[in-house]
Amino acid sequence: MDYLINHSPTRCINLSTVKQQLFNHQAISRADIARYTGLHRSTISSLFDELDTQGYIHHLGHGKSTTVGGRKPELYTFNGHYGYVACFNITYAHLYTMFLYVNGKEIGFQRFDTCGQDIITVMELINRQLHKAANRHDTTHGLLGISISIHAIVDHNKVTHSPYYPMNGINFQQYFTNHYHVPVIVGNEANLAAIYERDYARHVSPANFIVLSIHRGPGIGVVANHHLFSGFQGKTGELGSVKVPNLMGQFQEIGDYLSVDHLQAAITKAVGINPHADYSTLKRVVATGRPKVDRVITSFAEVTGQLLFDLQMLYGPEEIFINSPLIELIPQLITKIKATAQQHAVTIPVSVISGSRYVSLLGAAAMIIRQVIELPDRDLDFKWTTSVG
């Protein structure tokens, strides 16, 4: 931050305050910024000149005059075309990519099948997407940062345990920083889902909550007093490896039976269909209300409800959010999970996040955007304005 070197602490804070207001409003005048922040208009003008010179301000033209007449105010917002960020979500079977302007507006989204590929192949695919994006010429500074979400344990931006991809000593942050000369953030998928819920639902999410991500295995992201809590060595929330006694009294990892793979296998076995049936097919099968299928989802809801109670007692959240692409598609399962949670004395709200396939990408976007525009701890209103299929 050059201005931290060249300016007093007070001016640095004021610059961040004005930048925050520009980011949080699609259109705002200098007078409104002065009113919202309590800064004097002459101070606002000086700060505006500096931020404008740096390229952070987009001029929108004149707004409407007030009911009593007078000059029409000049309106401004944060300049999204200052640059863009690249976000990637590495799952056990797919690579999800999303590019966004630095104001959070989506540029593009893609999904690639990576089933059976090694991590080197996945990284080569990421490089190809970054090289394609580099041909864009509609931003001033181009690529500003890279953020990577992965289903793995991550400690200080380094993957320390990956259940699906042997890392063989590869350091994502070091590799991509050296190749693209921009900041790189690497995060656990469930943690970034929690960042999404905090930053994209800032006005409705509580200060203390948990995101329970159920994909091929379960994991949790914990937000305490608005801050992500990942624990020592980033191991908070690694539920898939937790062992508990099963019905036969043997210790078994939770990830063996609380996963979308387990649910998919149980549903398809119950009706004798292709075990690799897609989620839309599973949704239709559950909707038929067959007794065998109903028993499967009732059993899955029972396990989930018990876990929700355990999380309530262990962490004391105000609310728990479930992030799972398959659960999101099946209303009957959502209803059963909520009912079972109540039976297990879960007294806090339980909600299912919509658009679960995108939330880790968007959480990754929020993290890297905060860093590159130098507003890491400010309350920012992130909006997902594009609806992708």
Side-chain angles (χ1 to χ4, degrees), residues 297-307 336-337 340 343-344:
I297 65 171
T298 298
S299 175
F300 189 88
E302 176 69 25
V303 172
T304 307
Q306 179 62 57
L307 177 59
K336 283 183 179 290
I337 288 173
T340 305
Q343 292 169 9
H344 282 282

Side-chain angles (χ1 to χ4, degrees), residues 319-353:
E319 188 166 358
I320 298 176
F321 300 90
I322 297 175
N323 174 41
S324 176
L326 182 53
I327 293 175
E328 178 191 351
L329 282 178
I330 304 177
Q332 299 90 337
L333 180 54
I334 296 172
T335 300
K336 283 183 179 290
I337 288 173
K338 290 184 177 182
T340 305
Q342 289 184 343
Q343 292 169 9
H344 282 282
V346 175
T347 58
I348 59 174
V350 175
S351 306
V352 176
I353 296 176

Side-chain angles (χ1 to χ4, degrees), residues 34 37-45:
T37 65
L39 295 173
H40 195 276
R41 290 198 183 191
S42 61
T43 301
I44 297 290
S45 295

